[in-house]
Amino acid sequence: MSDGVPPSTTARRMLRGPRPQAVPLIVGRACTLVGLLDIAAGVFPRFRHSRMHTLAEVLPGAFGPFAAALSLSAGVLLLLLAHGLRRRKRRAWRAAVALLPFGAAAQFTYRHSLAGVLISLALLAALLRHRDQFAALPDPRSRWRALANFVLMGAGSLALGLVVVSAHPHRMVGDPSLADRITHVLYGLFGVEGPVGYRGSTSWTVAFSLGALGLLTAVTTVYLAFRPEHPAARLTKEDEARLRALLAKHGGRDSLGHFALRRDKAVVFSPSGKAAVTYRVVSGVMLASGDPIGDVEAWPGAIERFMDEARAHSWTPAVMGCSETGGEVWTRETGLDALELGDEAVVDVADFSLAGRAMRNVRQMVKRIERAGYETRVRRVADLGDAELDRIRRAAADWRGTDTERGFSMALGRIGDPSDGDCLIATAHRPDAEPGEYGDLRAILHFVPWGADGASLDLMRRDRSADPGMNELLIVAALQAAPRFGITRVSLNFAMFRSALARGEKIGAGPVLRAWRGLLVFLSRWFQIESLYRFNAKFRPRWEPRFVVYRSSADLPRIGFAAMQAEGFVDLALPLPRSLRRRTGARRPCAHRVAEHDVRAA
């Protein structure tokens, strides 16, 4: 193995990933199927008299005269439990074990169905026999989960209630409007009779069904609101000190190493303490970023601890943006797979120059901006005063192009922290212009250390009223000032799928590659994939490939969604009303700001 990577220590580490167990998958899928059958049996009258009803009648959830309401509620509960059982969650197993005896008793009491009793007891016996496979610990959670449950369950109950109310057209009295049906559903969820009338016993069926949906929404919300919290792990001061010590010795290996110091990440260390993996859990995905920190010889131990933690909680393991060396170690030690995600643009300071035809556009833009009266300053954070740092922090927050701070794998998430004195800040000023809210400050670039002789771009922010080209101006200024700080290499933005874009535009590219490039160009309207690649290419960098490590292809959509949540592109939290947000004058991103930080971490 090249680059000092040690050979594999044991063959058993090849399969250390938390592979799905057969029993939890079967049980989870069975719960999903039974839940859907129970919901269908409770909602649609014809289904209860179809051939499928012969099977549904002996499944847990259809109980005698209250078949509609109890089938509906049981189906919803089974659907809620199915995901937890598939993920081997201990709490879901306990809930199912506690529920099944009641289901068997109901089968015998209401329906006198021996088959229904046997099916419930058989499923209970299977869960008890394989209880050791349902040992996963709880996920991080907070009180916000109760509010999310209330909103989602309420919306689902309203939609399902409309189906229940409308599923008996021949027994309705008159022709109620949509508004009347919605009103009837809302009343029914609270156990009150609504304006829609039915002939015969159908009114009781609808009333029981709506009442059951309302009760389920209330009970699950109250349970989630009062259960003990399991807050997400955060980087403690002790962990941060240990990581900084590892970065001081081995930080030059990976340009993303310093981003491990984000304080919303958790960390696992190798048994020797000489290596570590930082991560965040998002939607059941355990996301690591970059390579492990520390001595390469100790990487396997840190990776093993990471996989053990993923298996203990039944989280889906994934690594975003690791290097080729890191990807080889991850795949070899865990049996996971790797896929090239894109390329990182790295500029060697000694080779950078504005001379030559290839740099003509950048050179002309920089000269034009300098003639307009702009000045640049490149300094260490430790060399800035408190007042100026505070002004830079406030400007960076107000000039952000989105309401939420973006970044996870390639962002530090803070500026001017006393512990980050080695970070570089490049600022653009226009002294001859009328001072604004932040004086003559017009743009900011923030770099974090990459070992003793490197810097890695963290964020890029600019005043919307400033002239175009601020990012080019500050990158050139940082590269020209780099030797003064002993910096020999600078990592710029990360370009997703760069190789596909570059190969797809060449002569002789095949139809598949051209089609893939066309799709990426189309998606660039929203994610700035192509524009970021072309912006990086202006500085003639060398391209370093970055990879995503994953367990199976079926996990990729889930990992991608979790990564978008972590990076800030998808926000499932309920936003504050606009009137309560801090009012700023620069929330909308500029059209020409293709290298803004919020696409660096894409």
Side-chain angles (χ1 to χ4, degrees):
M1 182 74 189
S2 61
D3 205 15
V5 177
S8 182
T9 55
T10 58
R12 65 180 178 85
R13 284 187 180 146
M14 293 291 292
L15 299 175
R16 290 205 65 88
R19 299 291 184 182
Q21 300 292 330
V23 171
L25 284 177
I26 293 173
V27 171
R29 289 171 181 172
C31 282
T32 301
L33 176 61
V34 172
L36 293 174
L37 289 174
D38 284 350
I39 291 174
V43 172
F44 302 107
R46 293 182 179 180
F47 178 84
R48 293 198 297 274
H49 302 288
S50 66
R51 293 182 179 179
M52 288 295 292
H53 183 54
T54 305
L55 174 62
E57 281 291 314
V58 298
L59 294 173
F63 308 136
F66 302 101
L70 291 178
S71 289
L72 196 61
S73 58
V76 173
L77 287 173
L78 287 171
L79 289 178
L80 293 176
L81 285 175
H83 180 65
L85 290 174
R86 284 196 300 269
R87 295 186 58 207
R88 303 183 295 111
K89 291 297 182 181
R90 189 69 175 179
R91 290 183 182 271
W93 177 86
R94 289 173 180 170
V97 167
L99 181 64
L100 283 171
F102 289 99
Q107 288 282 356
F108 182 77
T109 302
Y110 289 104
R111 297 186 63 250
H112 307 289
S113 171
L114 182 60
V117 173
L118 292 177
I119 287 178
S120 297
L121 294 180
L123 184 55
L124 175 63
L127 286 172
L128 291 174
R129 180 179 179 182
H130 299 283
R131 60 184 178 274
D132 57 327
Q133 296 192 30
F134 297 88
L137 299 175
D139 290 346
R141 62 196 185 208
S142 68
R143 303 300 185 198
W144 288 103
R145 184 72 180 273
L147 180 60
N149 178 84
F150 177 76
V151 173
L152 295 177
M153 284 287 290
S157 297
L158 178 61
L160 194 54
L162 279 174
V163 177
V164 172
V165 169
S166 305
H168 309 269
H170 300 296
R171 293 184 176 270
M172 277 186 179
V173 177
D175 186 18
S177 65
L178 178 61
D180 290 336
R181 299 185 189 195
I182 294 177
T183 302
H184 191 86
V185 172
L186 293 175
Y187 282 10
L189 293 176
F190 290 94
V192 179
E193 186 69 23
V196 180
Y198 297 90
R199 290 184 291 271
S201 61
T202 303
S203 61
W204 290 101
T205 301
V206 173
F208 277 126
S209 299
L210 295 179
L213 288 173
L215 183 63
L216 283 177
T217 301
V219 169
T220 53
T221 300
V222 170
Y223 166 74
L224 292 173
F226 288 97
R227 68 177 179 173
E229 289 191 76
H230 283 238
R234 292 290 184 266
L235 202 65
T236 66
K237 291 183 179 180
E238 179 184 355
D239 290 338
E240 184 175 340
R242 295 177 66 184
L243 285 174
R244 288 185 183 277
L246 293 177
L247 288 170
K249 295 181 180 179
H250 308 283
R253 297 194 59 87
D254 186 12
S255 63
L256 307 187
H258 200 85
F259 299 126
L261 298 176
R262 282 183 66 103
R263 287 163 186 161
D264 57 358
K265 291 183 178 181
V267 61
V268 290
F269 289 91
S270 65
S272 65
K274 295 181 179 181
V277 175
T278 59
Y279 66 92
R280 186 194 298 174
V281 179
V282 183
S283 298
V285 177
M286 191 176 182
L287 277 175
S289 58
D291 293 344
I293 306 300
D295 188 355
V296 183
E297 297 287 341
W299 282 9
I303 291 173
E304 183 177 354
R305 287 284 179 87
F306 176 89
M307 300 303 289
D308 288 343
E309 189 78 4
R311 183 170 56 253
H313 292 268
S314 192
W315 291 329
T316 300
V319 185
M320 301 297 298
C322 66
S323 68
E324 186 171 3
T325 299
E328 290 176 355
V329 178
W330 272 101
T331 56
R332 191 196 68 213
E333 295 295 326
T334 63
L336 302 179
D337 293 322
L339 178 68
E340 186 173 341
L341 190 60
D343 294 270
E344 175 187 14
V346 178
V347 177
D348 293 314
V349 174
D351 298 333
F352 177 77
S353 173
L354 287 177
R357 184 177 182 83
M359 299 298 295
R360 179 182 178 183
N361 290 338
V362 176
R363 182 174 63 252
Q364 290 179 343
M365 179 173 290
V366 169
K367 295 298 183 183
R368 176 178 57 80
I369 297 173
E370 289 176 342
R371 286 195 299 270
Y374 285 90
E375 299 176 357
T376 60
R377 303 168 192 168
V378 182
R379 293 160 289 175
R380 297 278 188 190
V381 168
D383 297 331
L384 274 69
D386 293 339
E388 186 172 9
L389 267 178
D390 181 68
R391 184 167 65 250
I392 289 174
R393 277 193 292 261
R394 289 187 291 109
D398 283 352
W399 295 342
R400 188 172 59 224
T402 58
D403 287 335
T404 57
E405 184 74 58
R406 289 183 173 177
F408 163 68
S409 57
M410 301 180 183
L412 188 60
R414 60 182 184 267
I415 300 178
D417 190 278
S419 60
D420 298 322
D422 288 342
C423 292
L424 280 179
I425 289 185
T427 54
H429 305 262
R430 192 172 184 180
D432 59 347
E434 182 179 351
E437 182 179 358
Y438 307 107
D440 61 358
L441 184 64
R442 292 295 182 267
I444 304 164
L445 259 64
H446 187 254
F447 296 84
V448 300
W450 175 10
D453 61 347
S456 186
L457 180 60
D458 176 24
L459 62 79
M460 309 175 76
R461 301 282 164 81
R462 63 183 296 278
D463 186 352
R464 192 172 62 177
S465 64
D467 292 344
M470 289 292 101
N471 294 326
E472 289 89 338
L473 173 69
L474 287 180
I475 287 178
V476 170
L479 290 171
Q480 291 176 338
R484 191 169 76 245
F485 299 98
I487 293 174
T488 62
R489 51 186 179 166
V490 176
S491 169
L492 299 180
N493 298 288
F494 171 74
M496 289 186 64
F497 308 115
R498 181 209 64 88
S499 59
L501 290 169
R503 294 197 304 267
E505 63 184 355
K506 291 183 178 180
I507 297 177
V512 175
L513 189 56
R514 288 186 180 275
W516 174 226
R517 180 183 178 277
L519 176 62
L520 293 176
V521 172
F522 174 76
L523 294 176
S524 295
R525 299 179 181 181
W526 297 276
F527 296 101
Q528 299 180 331
I529 298 173
E530 183 188 28
S531 55
L532 185 59
Y533 154 60
R534 297 199 179 282
F535 179 88
N536 290 333
K538 290 180 181 180
F539 303 97
R540 316 299 293 175
R542 55 182 170 88
W543 300 101
E544 297 289 341
R546 291 280 174 174
F547 299 83
V548 55
V549 177
Y550 60 98
R551 183 172 58 190
S552 67
S553 299
D555 291 334
L556 284 176
R558 185 179 180 190
I559 292 171
F561 185 72
M564 292 182 71
Q565 287 180 259
E567 299 288 358
F569 289 96
V570 176
D571 187 7
L572 299 183
L574 296 176
L576 289 173
R578 185 170 294 275
S579 59
L580 298 181
R581 300 178 192 173
R582 182 181 177 183
R583 304 183 72 130
T584 63
R587 284 296 186 194
R588 182 171 56 87
C590 301
H592 59 265
R593 187 177 51 189
V594 299
E596 173 64 83
H597 160 65
D598 56 15
V599 295
R600 167 175 165 78

